[in-house]
Each structure stands twice: as C-alpha cells, then as structure tokens.
Amino acid sequence: NTKIAYVLVNHQRRGASLYSLEIADQDGLNEKTILRSYQPIMSPAWSPDGQRLAYVSFEHHRASIFIQNIQTGQREAVSQTPGINGAPAFSPDGQRLALVLTKTGNPKIYTLDLQRHALTQITHGYSIDTEPVWAPDGQSLLFTSSRGGQPQLYRYYFARGESERVTFSGNYNARGRFFPDGSAIVMMHRGTGLFGIARQDLNDAVVQVLVQSGMDESPSLAPNGKMVLYATEYAGRGVLSVVSTDGRVRLRLPAKQGSVQEPAWSPFLS
C-alpha cells in the first residue's frame, strides 16, 4: 500500500538525455511514466495524501516547480521565479510547500502557501541553505546548510524563528529525512571516508552508518520507518536500493533500462 517515485535518465545519441518521472510499486515493479522531457527533472516529493507529486522541471531551459495530479496528469507551475526553484517538500497538512529560491542571491529556504500563493522567507544570510523537509508535526524544518563551512543539517523552529545545528559527527551530512515519529533522522553521511547513508537519534545524537559504498545518496524513508530507499550505483549505472533502519537487510530493486536517481517513498495510500 505504498509507491515509490524516481527519475529515470536514458542517454540518447549525440549526447542528449531523456528524463522520465516514474512511479512504481514499493518493490520497483509495475512502473508507470507520468512525465517525459529532454530537460532535467529533479526532486520528486509526495503530497501527504499520495495523490500529487511536486517536482522540479527544467523545461523551457529554466527551473520551475510543478505539482501534478498522479491520476489525471493535470499539473500546475507553482514557482517560476528567476534563478533556482528547487527542493520542494509538502507540509504534513498539504497546505504549504517548503522550497529553495535565490530571490536574494544565495539559495534560501522559503515556504509557499498553496492557497494564497504567499511566500515567506525562512532562512537568511550568506550561506547556502537547501533540501528542506518538514518535521512530522509541522512545527519545524530540517535543512542542509553551509553556514558552518561544511554541509551539515540544521533545524528551523517556526515558533522561535531560529535555527540550530543538528549534526556534528562527520564532515558532510545532508539530505536529512525524519522518522515518522520524529525521534531520529536518516541522511547522507561522510565521516572521514566514503559517502553513505546513516541514521541519527535526535535525543542522544548517536550516528549509525547503515550502508557506505561511496555512491549512496538521496535517502527516503518508508512511512512505517522500517526501511530506507536510496540511490546508488551498480554495474556503472544508477539503481535503487533499500536498507533496513537497523542496517541488517539490504536489497537492490529492479528498474527499467537507464540510470535511476532521486527516489521518494510515498505515504500510506488508501
């Protein structure tokens, strides 16, 4: 009763690439293409009801954020400001998007009210802030920032209007995702060696590396918090794999011919 979304890239003749936004069962089977483009597609994100996908499309040679109804195919461009429009993430109630814009120069986190089309800037300053994701209770945002000199995860609290650093272990932590109960996160992690996928408990900050091949990225949690879907490389192409959140079980998923990236696990579907 869940699905996965991902971007499939097929390299064509004369250097062109065909991008497709795919939806499949949680085991990687029964794929369905919902969008094709010769321009990049990035950052698919599910709505809380599982009926829509937000994503970044570079059609017409500019970055825009679209929201598309999966069943009807109807879609709407919700952000087309000059510069970067990136990393959309639905709020738990589905009423807002967190996103990344360069309206003031460097990439910053904003929220967009989808009914009023009102933007609110969340982060400020000269750092690069990106990859926002909502806490399950909607009261805070986790995001990646360079403000400490290296990519690390920070948490913005709406009530206080302040951010605090979350990760301290390793010299690179990014693409954080909350566990369903908000007690822990998964993330891209590098200590002193290879990139991998790790989990961190938010109470004691203990980090456990789940998988570490050097090519692991874009973790996405199952809605029950038991498995992590991520992108990696196998036999020279991008593939999807899953690892249990205790690190004991690892599986590689089947996929169409091409290179797979940017996976996103859906919420429970009715």
Side-chain angles (χ1 to χ4, degrees), residues 12-232:
Q12 310 286 299
R13 296 178 181 178
R14 301 179 181 178
S17 294
L18 177 63
Y19 297 82
S20 60
L21 182 56
E22 305 282 334
I23 295 176
D25 293 342
Q26 74 278 2
D27 57 6
L29 300 176
N30 298 318
E31 307 98 325
K32 174 185 177 183
T33 302
I34 67 168
L35 179 69
R36 285 193 178 95
S37 175
Y38 280 101
Q39 302 301 322
I41 302 169
M42 300 173 60
S43 306
W46 292 88
S47 63
D49 61 6
Q51 300 301 308
R52 297 170 292 163
L53 278 175
Y55 56 86
V56 178
S57 173
F58 282 79
E59 56 200 79
H60 308 302
H61 304 284
R62 59 179 295 182
S64 301
I65 295 176
F66 288 84
I67 294 178
Q68 182 165 338
N69 185 292
I70 294 170
Q71 297 300 321
T72 67
Q74 183 178 1
R75 65 181 190 146
E76 176 188 6
V78 296
S79 183
Q80 294 181 310
T81 63
I84 291 175
N85 295 262
F90 280 98
S91 62
D93 62 5
Q95 300 300 309
R96 291 180 289 172
L97 279 184
L99 66 162
V100 176
L101 304 174
T102 49
K103 291 171 65 68
T104 60
N106 286 338
K108 292 295 163 191
I109 309 296
Y110 291 74
T111 59
L112 172 65
D113 187 301
L114 293 174
Q115 292 185 337
R116 297 188 295 113
H117 301 285
L119 273 175
T120 302
Q121 186 171 350
I122 299 299
T123 63
H124 302 79
Y126 295 102
S127 60
I128 296 174
D129 301 328
T130 187
E131 300 173 340
V133 63
W134 298 79
D137 63 5
Q139 300 303 306
S140 61
L141 289 171
L142 189 69
F143 64 96
T144 305
S145 178
S146 67
R147 63 188 62 190
Q150 297 174 324
Q152 296 290 343
L153 294 175
Y154 291 76
R155 190 171 185 176
Y156 174 85
Y157 292 88
F158 287 98
R160 305 201 311 259
E162 299 175 349
S163 300
E164 63 182 32
R165 185 169 166 175
V166 173
T167 54
F168 294 89
S169 175
N171 57 25
Y172 186 105
N173 292 287
R175 198 66 179 259
R177 296 292 184 267
F178 282 100
F179 273 62
D181 63 1
S183 66
I185 57 174
V186 294
M187 58 193 176
M188 286 181 60
H189 170 78
R190 184 179 66 195
T192 57
L194 300 175
F195 283 103
I197 305 298
R199 64 173 288 173
Q200 176 177 314
D201 189 286
L202 292 178
N203 293 319
D204 56 20
V206 171
V207 173
Q208 176 190 1
V209 176
L210 304 178
V211 62
Q212 191 173 42
S213 74
M215 301 293 183
D216 311 314
E217 61 182 19
S218 303
S220 181
L221 267 162
N224 64 2
K226 300 297 185 182
M227 303 292 287
V228 182
L229 177 70
Y230 63 98
T232 188

